[in-house]
Amino acid sequence: MARAPEQSMFTRSSILTGLVAGLAHTALAVLLWNHWFDDLFDLIAVKPLNGAYILLGMFLLGFVPALFYVGEKVKSPAAIIAVLLLLSGLGSWLAGPVRPPSAVPTPFALYILSWIGVVALAGVIGGFEYRRKQRATK
């Protein structure tokens, strides 16, 4: 019996949905960043690499979970990002705005600045969920 070719997670619809989700997460994160911290676009003008790092993270925190969900119907990355965004937003709202010279990061700043770890965690957990679903269908 011939085996059916495996579908790729990277379809046109999954990439388009990922782009939309990434842009939506970026827009929300920029609004929250500008509310709790200094203007992000001023930071980009003064420190473009720092600003690029933050913007890339804001985008990927929305893009990766949407790609997993649309491409493979894996829900855990979206749940991880949603819970961490909600908890970090709530924690920062309770802490209030932070203005210089304070060096204490709020939970939202930690969420955004440590986006590599958050995306990696979502990807690893999503990979486990994907493998579990694949074993269940065999």
Side-chain angles (χ1 to χ4, degrees), residues 106-129:
T106 65
F108 181 73
L110 291 174
Y111 166 74
I112 293 297
L113 295 174
S114 62
W115 66 264
I116 293 173
V118 176
V119 169
L121 174 68
V124 167
I125 300 297
F128 287 141
E129 181 184 349

Side-chain angles (χ1 to χ4, degrees), residues 9 18 21-22 59-69 74 77-78 81 119-120 122-123:
M9 179 184 343
F59 176 77
L60 288 178
L61 285 165
F63 179 80
V64 170
L67 188 69
F68 265 102
Y69 181 73
V74 174
I81 299 295
V119 169

Side-chain angles (χ1 to χ4, degrees), residues 12-104:
R12 180 179 288 194
S13 64
S14 68
I15 291 173
L16 270 169
T17 304
L19 288 172
V20 169
L23 291 174
H25 186 277
T26 302
L28 175 62
V30 166
L31 286 173
L32 293 175
W33 185 275
N34 288 343
H35 175 70
W36 284 314
F37 309 108
D38 293 330
D39 187 12
L40 182 62
F41 300 108
D42 290 344
L43 174 69
I44 292 171
V46 175
K47 298 178 180 177
L49 290 178
N50 291 359
Y53 173 82
I54 292 169
L55 280 175
L56 178 65
M58 290 175 174
F59 176 77
L60 288 178
L61 285 165
F63 179 80
V64 170
L67 188 69
F68 265 102
Y69 181 73
V70 174
E72 299 294 341
K73 301 297 184 237
V74 174
K75 299 174 186 169
S76 58
I80 289 168
I81 299 295
V83 166
L84 289 176
L85 176 62
L86 181 66
L87 290 176
S88 69
L90 180 63
S92 293
W93 177 68
L94 292 173
V98 175
R99 296 291 176 222
S102 176
V104 178

